[in-house]
């Protein structure tokens, strides 16, 4: 099916572990984004990518790493997870017209 | 600091009434403005976008933008119980998208 998917949908990990969240879109959109959503803060941009091999920091990039070797994939890695990274993570994409479409989200718990 | 402010609510309106949601933003360089609807446990869903000052209508939804006042609003006419959700205002400046924390709307039958 066309669209944007995220995996896993739920993840529990321990403090200090590395974890990678996957995002895949089938629209061939140029731009992809990672957000986190926390109560009281709304959605905050972590990283975005304008095209394959082009990434840039958003509002809250510390503790996260991204890569984009293929247009359709935009994985987000937490190099050493901390409890403060417990959140719901959303991936989004756009063709460049600003209208972002969101994936279903990944609920991450760091214990 | 680029901020987007929304009244957190909850905003409660009776079925069939007009719901009015408001949003202010601090970044004068903002170029595009969006309203997303988010049901509990779900991802945000784009419902309206507006780029120019004035009103934009789409079905029961009207977005209003006043760049001079740094103000965006969303009107929902003939509100339905299915409109009960959290509405997120988003403001974009060169792919730096900032979201408000959302307004929770409840439409009572």
């Amino acid at each position: 099916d066309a669209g944007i998917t995220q995996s896993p949908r739920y993840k529990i990990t321990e403090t200090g572990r590395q974890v990678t969240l996957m995002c895949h879109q089938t629209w061939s959109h140029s731009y992809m984004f990672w957000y986190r959503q926390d109560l009281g803060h709304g959605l905050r941009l972590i990283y975005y990518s304008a095209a394959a091999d082009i990434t840039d920091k958003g509002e809250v990039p510390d503790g996260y790493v991204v890569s984009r070797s293929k247009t359709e994939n935009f994985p987000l890695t937490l190099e050493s997870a901390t409890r403060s990274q417990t959140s719901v993570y959303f991936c989004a994409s756009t063709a460049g017209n600003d209208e972002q479409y969101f994936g279903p989200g990944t609920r991450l718990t760091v214990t | 600091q680029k901020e987007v402010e929304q009244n957190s609510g909850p905003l409660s309106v009776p079925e069939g009434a007009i719901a009015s949601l408001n949003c202010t933003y601090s970044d004068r360089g903002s170029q595009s403005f969006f309203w997303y609807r988010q049901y509990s446990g779900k991802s945000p869903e784009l419902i309206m976008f507006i780029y120019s000052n004035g009103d934009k209508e789409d079905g029961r939804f009207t977005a209003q933008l006043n760049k001079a006042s740094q103000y965006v609003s969303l009107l929902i006419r003939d509100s339905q119980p299915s409109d009960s959700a959290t509405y997120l205002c988003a403001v974009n400046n060169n792919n730096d998208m900032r979201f408000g924390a959302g307004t929770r709307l409840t439409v009572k039958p």
Side-chain angles (χ1 to χ4, degrees), chain A residues 44-56:
Chain A
R44 290 181 292 174
L45 181 64
I46 303 170
Y47 270 96
Y48 70 96
S49 168
D53 298 322
I54 300 175
T55 62
D56 210 345

Side-chain angles (χ1 to χ4, degrees), chain A residues 6 9 11 15 29 31-32 42 74 85 89 96 99 105 109:
Chain A
Q6 294 183 235
R9 294 294 314 278
K11 176 76 176 178
T15 300
H29 283 170
Y31 288 84
M32 296 186 74
F74 190 37
Q85 292 177 309
Y89 291 85
E99 298 161 37
T109 301

Side-chain angles (χ1 to χ4, degrees), chain A residues 31 33 35 37 42-43 45 48 59 90 97-103, chain B residues 32 34 36 38 42-44 46 49 51 88 92 95 97-99 101:
Chain A
Y31 288 84
F33 305 82
Y35 293 89
Q37 187 173 35
L43 281 156
L45 181 64
Y48 70 96
E59 186 182 356
F90 288 104
N97 57 354
D98 294 343
E99 298 161 37
Q100 295 185 19
Y101 296 91
F102 284 79
Chain B
S32 48
F34 304 86
Y36 285 84
Q38 188 173 28
K42 301 295 185 183
S43 58
L46 180 65
F49 59 89
Y51 299 129
L88 307 175
N92 192 27
N95 293 308
M97 185 85 96
R98 300 294 173 118
F99 285 80

